[in-house]
Amino acid sequence: MTIEKRPNATADKTAPSQAPQVPTIERGGGPKLPGPPGVPGTERFRLLAYVKQESMVRVDKRPDETVLTWPHLLRAEFLMASLITMLLVITSFFIQAPLEEMANAGNTPHVAKAPWYFLGLQEMLSYFNATVVGVLFPPLYFIGLMAIAYIDRSPYKAARDRKLVWIFFLCLMVGGLLVTFIGSFFRGPGWNWVWPWEGLFFTL
Amino acid sequence: MSMQHYGYGEVHGPRAGEMSRRGFMRRMLGVGVGILSIEFLAGTLAFLWPNIREGLGGRLTVGTAASIATNYPEWTEGLAYIFQSKIFVVNVPAAKARVEGEGEVSQPVGDPGTDVSSDIPAVDRSVLALYRKCPHLGCQVPQLCDQSQWFECLCHGSKYTVLGEYRAGPAPRGMDRFVVEMEGDTYVINSGEIEDGPPVGTVTFDDRDSQLIPHCAA
Amino acid sequence: MSFLVRAVRESALWRSLFRQPYPTTSRTRALAVMNNVFLHLHPVRVKTHAVRYTYTFCLGGISFFLFLALTVTGVYLMFFYVPSINRAFQDIQTISNSVAFGDLIRNMHRWAAHLMVLTVFLHMIRVFYHGAYKPPREFNWAIGVLLLFSTLWLSFTGYLLPWDQIAFWAITVGTQMATYAPLASTESGFILLGGIEVGQETLIRFYVMHVIAFPLIAAILLVVHFWRIRKDGGISGPV
Ligand code: HEM
Ligand code: FES
């Protein structure tokens, strides 16, 4: 992919050694960009380049290395959309969505499972007090997730600068994955432990 | 309202600590919008509150002891009479005899009596109406298990005694129940009122250890 | 041939639709993005690293695309589905067996739904590990969490609609967790199910939430989400 770089392109702000020479500007001016070739005196001015930090919208923007949306971003989007469409059509052509007998309140299955994304929760219900897991956990999960952004406000983004959060979130995700897996593939009739090769009690 | 300001001379507006007319209006507007939003939410909730109740929810006539016994003779030997597929109507004296006789009832109880008031402790009542929806995750609890003489939910293995008391498994409490009333000698279930099952740890009858007896649900 | 093409291109209709020729220069490409209501969700230029597949893994974009695909296939399914406990199950069978491409559409809707839950989760993880939730993007992260909830809820409400054994028991088990709420145990289940047990009232409630209420909510949240990406200074990074 050829990427045209804009003339005054500069490196990112995380590498201070290569920090951009921010052009000095006079009042009412702006960094000059070349106008249409061969037409002197038609330089355009970049608009909206400077936003005061006290303003409503906080922007941590410096001159970046950029490319045009058309074609670079649109091409990527189009490619992805096509790939996913193909994947979806092919999958749907070959794999049948499950459908069992008609619902019957009087005929309890030997193991009743919630949809897969709730199976972690269901698995935890069998470990802890139902009120705690069933009632407190779901709201805490979403509120806790939202709170993350308001608690961890350190400016560091690289993994080496935020090992603790990194590992904490990893544990959370791996833990969630683990209980979901156990609930999905290792639980059979009576919510008893069943190895996947002894029988799968899982529908999508 | 005007006053002298040391720098600006005569100024108009509220004194410090007072509210301007505009400020008052603005605040009232805020309060109004707040009240409206709360009303809107409460109204939505009320609108969505279900009140058409079919089947479960109304007063359900079960019948007299004699009619139940004719319909389902095992009732007199302690098995639960399954009413409208949703409710266990338990003949309490017979059920207790069944547990004590480990499945055998020498003296069937044809008429358990009329002590159905919820003021009486469950063990001493004549008839209990247990809701078959498992308080764990809602599966339908099957008829008494032969091996244990307990109600055993097959979904995740919660276990309850004939009185619906919790004994084992992931359920948070005993089986929920309905209020039973007498109309003459007819049992009537008020299915609009569900009582939560007794909390875990309630043992008024049948204190066998779950580990030591065979079960239907593992 | 080329005469025809020119005639079309120069017609009043064509020029009213496309106010400029096919963009080939930087200038017209910028204009194309600015002048098109759909494209102008994007800025004219994006950071170089943002178009690298390995920065976003396109996960947000894929989630959005799946949302669109689900909307389209869902509308198709609605032509044949009646949310009644006496009909729903048969309607699904009819869609699968006698509607042309019905089976394909049903499968696509189902697999896309599962895939979307997955990609939204992965998108969240990617955002987390890039620290892209940090100021000024905290609010967009919160919007994202609401989107995660909407996605799960859309999937959950849709799960009941086929009215088969899987659906019925999964929803019975799933909603019963709500009834553990202290103080409001019966009430919370009651309002959710429209009754004491999963039944007709539950089906219509879930249907309404699935086909109109939550798609609308999600769409509004998505608008805010995308708007905020731009207002927060474009995509984060590079790390
Ligand atoms: C319906 C679900 C969602 C859709 C369709 C969606 C869509 C998108 C898209 C297209 C982007 C652009 C960058 C990218 O593709 O990664 C993005 C960025 C972002 N999303 Fe989402 N998103 C969804 C859910 C979420 C969730 C669950 C979270 C977090 C809890 C979240 C938080 C963010 C944040 C903070 C950004 C900015 C990331 C950055 O600047 O690097 N989004 N979203
Ligand atoms: S539903 Fe009965 S044990 Fe889970």
Side-chain angles (χ1 to χ4, degrees):
Chain A
M1 180 157 71
T2 53
I3 294 181
E4 352 151 359
K5 297 190 171 148
R6 70 184 311 159
N8 59 347
T10 45
D12 62 271
K13 68 162 188 167
T14 51
S17 56
Q18 308 164 25
Q21 297 293 313
V22 179
T24 44
I25 43 168
E26 304 92 51
R27 220 175 146 66
K32 283 181 179 174
L33 302 179
V39 192
T42 56
E43 308 90 320
R44 288 167 298 131
F45 293 94
R46 191 138 55 93
L47 298 172
L48 295 174
Y50 286 88
V51 178
K52 275 201 186 139
Q53 207 58 42
E54 306 83 50
S55 73
M56 295 262 296
V57 188
R58 280 165 294 162
V59 175
D60 61 355
K61 199 168 159 59
R62 309 242 169 126
D64 288 300
E65 225 175 77
T66 58
V67 290
L68 272 171
T69 294
W70 182 312
H72 298 290
L73 181 57
L74 292 182
R75 177 168 56 207
E77 286 177 348
F78 182 76
L79 194 73
M80 249 9 222
S82 320
L83 277 179
I84 294 292
T85 310
M86 257 156 28
L87 179 84
L88 209 56
V89 172
I90 292 173
T91 314
S92 305
F93 197 80
F94 289 107
I95 309 179
Q96 184 58 39
L99 189 71
E100 286 182 359
E101 318 86 74
M102 190 168 154
N104 178 357
N107 175 11
T108 309
H110 280 285
V111 51
K113 290 189 177 186
W116 63 269
Y117 37 84
F118 287 155
L119 283 181
L121 188 64
Q122 203 181 330
E123 173 68 15
M124 287 200 295
L125 270 179
S126 63
Y127 305 150
F128 302 108
N129 179 301
T131 317
V132 175
V133 181
V135 183
L136 294 181
F137 191 79
L140 270 184
Y141 182 81
F142 289 107
I143 294 173
L145 270 182
M146 284 198 219
I148 287 179
Y150 292 89
I151 295 169
D152 172 22
R153 301 175 70 85
S154 73
Y156 307 114
K157 301 206 163 162
R160 62 178 178 280
D161 298 328
R162 43 202 282 267
K163 292 199 185 80
L164 192 71
V165 211
W166 215 92
I167 292 173
F168 167 75
F169 201 71
L170 188 71
C171 293
L172 222 68
M173 290 298 126
V174 171
L177 200 69
L178 206 68
V179 278
T180 306
F181 249 78
I182 295 178
S184 303
F185 302 117
F186 295 88
R187 292 295 179 179
W191 210 250
N192 286 302
W193 189 275
V194 171
W195 294 103
W197 52 89
E198 293 171 340
L200 263 188
F201 299 88
F202 180 72
T203 33
L204 268 174
Chain B
M1 198 172 304
S2 68
M3 53 185 159
Q4 283 303 123
H5 184 271
Y6 67 90
Y8 295 115
E10 194 180 28
V11 290
H12 300 270
R15 235 165 300 180
E18 278 178 16
M19 194 186 286
S20 68
R21 186 184 308 222
R22 190 176 288 176
F24 175 76
M25 289 307 213
R26 197 165 51 216
R27 219 169 277 195
M28 284 305 111
L29 192 69
V31 170
V33 170
I35 292 178
L36 269 179
S37 323
I38 292 172
E39 279 176 352
F40 177 71
L41 271 178
T44 307
L45 216 61
F47 179 80
L48 290 177
W49 197 258
N51 59 36
I52 317 147
R53 303 198 196 170
E54 286 168 12
L56 278 189
R59 287 173 64 80
L60 310 171
T61 307
V62 186
T64 61
S67 70
I68 299 176
T70 323
N71 261 341
Y72 187 64
E74 289 85 344
W75 191 61
T76 62
E77 294 172 9
L79 283 188
Y81 171 53
I82 296 178
F83 179 63
Q84 291 201 346
S85 83
K86 300 273 166 83
I87 301 173
F88 285 140
V89 180
V90 179
N91 179 338
V92 177
K96 287 192 323 198
R98 186 184 181 88
V99 174
E100 276 154 8
E102 288 173 14
E104 303 297 324
V105 182
S106 43
Q107 285 267 298
V109 183
D111 187 357
T114 58
D115 298 332
V116 292
S117 156
S118 31
D119 302 334
I120 307 172
V123 260
D124 299 329
R125 272 187 237 171
S126 307
V127 161
L128 273 182
L130 300 178
Y131 189 17
R132 287 184 66 191
K133 186 173 166 192
C134 179
H136 177 227
L137 291 176
C139 287
Q140 197 161 46
V141 179
Q143 181 61 277
L144 272 187
C145 162
D146 256 347
Q147 283 108 298
S148 61
Q149 303 302 331
W150 280 351
F151 293 118
E152 302 191 351
C153 181
L154 296 178
C155 283
H156 317 102
S158 289
K159 300 179 180 65
Y160 315 93
T161 66
V162 282
L163 301 182
E165 285 173 2
Y166 170 90
R167 284 296 178 270
R173 56 173 187 270
M175 292 173 76
D176 299 340
R177 55 224 36 222
F178 299 100
V179 172
V180 185
E181 289 157 15
M182 298 302 303
E183 272 177 14
D185 53 359
T186 304
Y187 299 113
V188 177
I189 292 174
N190 180 358
S191 65
E193 271 189 51
I194 301 182
E195 290 178 355
D196 274 0
V200 173
T202 309
V203 180
T204 54
F205 174 73
D206 188 359
D207 59 355
R208 289 172 296 157
D209 186 343
S210 171
Q211 305 284 326
L212 304 180
I213 49 179
H215 293 291
C216 294
Chain C
M1 194 57 209
S2 68
F3 164 74
L4 258 180
V5 170
R6 257 187 62 198
V8 171
R9 285 242 170 107
E10 283 166 15
S11 68
L13 180 64
W14 180 273
R15 283 187 300 163
S16 70
L17 281 173
F18 306 101
R19 292 189 290 192
Q20 56 180 57
Y22 186 85
T24 45
T25 62
S26 294
R27 183 187 141 79
T28 47
R29 284 169 169 177
L31 280 175
V33 172
M34 276 192 278
N35 288 343
N36 183 297
V37 66
F38 302 107
L39 294 185
H40 103 290
L41 268 176
H42 297 303
V44 168
R45 292 185 149 268
V46 288
K47 294 178 200 166
T48 309
H49 74 272
V51 295
R52 257 182 239 131
Y53 296 104
T54 48
Y55 186 72
T56 61
F57 296 102
C58 303
L59 287 164
I62 292 175
S63 307
F64 181 56
F65 181 71
L66 287 171
F67 180 78
L68 295 181
L70 283 161
T71 310
V72 174
T73 51
V75 168
Y76 276 49
L77 293 175
M78 281 178 75
F79 281 105
F80 294 95
Y81 176 87
V82 178
S84 145
I85 57 174
N86 299 320
R87 274 200 61 176
F89 180 71
Q90 284 157 30
D91 287 346
I92 298 292
Q93 284 183 319
T94 310
I95 290 171
S96 287
N97 302 332
S98 8
V99 176
F101 298 114
D103 210 17
L104 185 71
I105 294 291
R106 172 170 180 247
N107 291 349
M108 279 175 71
H109 196 73
R110 184 127 179 157
W111 299 135
H114 284 310
L115 189 62
M116 181 170 165
V117 174
L118 197 71
T119 54
V120 170
F121 259 115
L122 292 177
H123 169 59
M124 180 178 83
I125 293 172
R126 161 342 248 169
V127 168
F128 184 88
Y129 281 118
H130 281 163
Y133 57 86
K134 300 192 170 195
R137 299 189 173 80
E138 336 73 310
F139 184 68
N140 214 15
W141 169 267
I143 293 287
V145 176
L146 293 180
L147 275 168
L148 173 70
F149 175 78
S150 308
T151 308
L152 290 179
W153 193 248
L154 275 167
S155 173
F156 186 64
T157 48
Y159 214 71
L160 179 66
L161 302 186
W163 201 250
D164 64 339
Q165 280 287 76
I166 310 173
F168 184 88
W169 290 103
I171 302 310
T172 300
V173 163
T175 51
Q176 179 86 5
M177 294 181 205
T179 67
Y180 289 152
L183 304 180
S185 56
T186 356
E187 287 80 359
S188 51
F190 206 48
I191 193 109
L192 209 58
L193 300 183
I196 298 171
E197 299 192 328
V198 176
Q200 176 62 59
E201 275 71 29
T202 320
L203 185 57
I204 190 73
R205 262 161 210 241
F206 275 45
Y207 178 74
V208 172
M209 285 193 273
H210 186 74
V211 304
I212 186 76
F214 273 81
L216 271 182
I217 292 174
I220 293 170
L221 290 172
L222 281 174
V223 170
V224 180
H225 198 60
F226 296 153
W227 168 255
R228 273 317 277 246
I229 295 175
R230 286 196 61 176
K231 291 291 131 178
D232 293 340
I235 201 84
S236 68
V239 176

